[in-house]
Amino acid sequence: MIQTVGTGKLVVITGPSGVGKGTLVRSLLERHPDIYLSVSMTTRSPRPGEVNGKDYFFVTPEQFQDLIAAEQLLEWAQFAGNYYGTPRQQVEEKIKQGILVLLEIELEGARQIRASFPQALRLFILPPSMSELERRLRDRQSESPEAITRRLNRAIIEIAAADEFDVQIVNDDFDRALAEVELVLFPDLPELSLQS
Ligand code: 5GP
C-alpha cells in the first residue's frame, strides 16, 4: 500500500544506469496516464532524440547552482560527472492535487527523499547480473567508454544499497518486472494483462 504524502502519493524508482528503469517507467506511464513523472534538471548534454522539457530540463552548471541556492530543488546529486535534480514546485503541487508522483532518480537523491518524505515508497530495480548490466550499457551506445566505466563503478555502489529500499525488483524479464512494479503501485488492480 502506497502511503500518502500530504494528499498525494510519492514513489521513487532507483536502479543502476542501464538497468532499464526508463523503459519500465515509460511503459508504466502508457498504462497509467494519471501518474505524473517528474522531469528533472540536468547539466548533462542531451542524447540524440532527447527533448528539453520532456526528457529533462537541460541547464548549465551555473543555472543548476542557482537552482540549488534558491532552494528550488527537492533533492539533487552529482552522478557520473553531471548534476541532476528534481524541481520542487511541480512535484509539491502535484502531490497537493492528490496525484501519484513518480521520481526516477539515483541513490543519493533517493536517500534525500527518504529524509524529507519518509512516507514515500521506494523501489529499486536490479539487473540480473553485472555482466548483463554492462552489456546493456554498451549496447545502447549513448555513452563514451569512460562514461560507461564511471556508470558501472557507480552501479556497484548503488546495487550494494538496494536493501535500503522498500521493494527490490529484478529486471530480467521486462514484462514480469513491469507487472511487479504495477502490482506494488496498484495492488488492487485485477488480473494484469501485459499484451499491447
Ligand atoms: P541519465 O544520464 O542516464 O539520464 O541518468 C543518470 C542517473 O541520474 C540515473 O540513475 C537517473 O535515475 C538519475 N537521475 C535522473 N534525474 C535525477 C534527479 O532529478 N535527481 C537525481 N538524484 N538523480 C536523477
Side-chain angles (χ1 to χ4, degrees):
M1 180 69 179
I2 312 175
Q3 294 192 314
T4 53
V5 176
T7 52
K9 297 176 168 79
L10 186 58
V11 175
V12 174
I13 296 195
T14 301
S17 181
V19 79
K21 303 179 297 277
T23 318
L24 275 173
V25 165
R26 271 197 301 280
S27 297
L28 193 65
L29 291 180
E30 271 168 27
R31 293 164 59 78
H32 302 277
D34 292 350
I35 297 176
Y36 173 75
L37 174 67
S38 166
V39 180
S40 297
M41 306 279 177
T42 184
T43 60
R44 90 151 157 72
S45 309
R47 293 183 186 134
E50 283 186 332
V51 177
N52 190 31
K54 181 170 168 278
D55 298 289
Y56 279 107
F57 293 101
F58 296 98
V59 297
T60 64
E62 293 72 30
Q63 287 170 322
F64 199 94
Q65 292 305 323
D66 288 347
L67 291 167
I68 296 173
E71 298 187 354
Q72 286 184 26
L73 300 178
L74 205 54
E75 59 73 34
W76 63 272
Q78 204 176 4
F79 180 92
N82 289 298
Y83 288 96
Y84 296 82
T86 302
R88 177 188 298 279
Q89 200 190 343
Q90 287 90 324
V91 168
E92 288 183 347
E93 263 170 28
K94 299 289 176 191
I95 290 174
K96 273 195 210 117
Q97 290 166 15
I99 291 170
L100 194 163
V101 175
L102 194 62
L103 308 183
E104 194 239 285
I105 60 177
E106 54 66 70
L107 176 64
E108 292 305 325
R111 285 177 170 155
Q112 292 169 42
I113 294 294
R114 183 178 55 179
S116 49
F117 293 94
Q119 316 92 313
L121 178 77
R122 300 181 322 134
L123 279 69
F124 194 92
I125 312 295
L126 285 158
S129 65
M130 274 312 281
S131 53
E132 173 61 15
L133 184 71
E134 183 166 356
R135 193 187 65 73
R136 290 182 194 175
L137 263 176
R138 295 198 190 283
D139 278 3
R140 74 181 189 190
Q141 297 184 340
S142 52
E143 268 84 26
S144 65
E146 298 74 37
I148 290 177
T149 304
R150 275 205 299 271
R151 282 169 184 251
L152 282 171
N153 288 338
R154 189 68 206 156
I156 294 168
I157 296 170
E158 294 206 316
I159 290 169
D163 283 356
E164 292 176 23
F165 288 71
D166 301 305
V167 183
Q168 295 78 23
I169 291 171
V170 180
N171 187 12
D172 45 3
D173 176 88
F174 179 80
D175 284 350
R176 201 173 52 81
L178 177 61
E180 282 181 27
V181 171
E182 203 167 40
L183 190 62
V184 172
L185 262 54
F186 306 103
D188 302 332
L189 274 187
E191 188 73 9
L192 295 165
S193 153
L194 289 165
Q195 281 91 26
S196 52

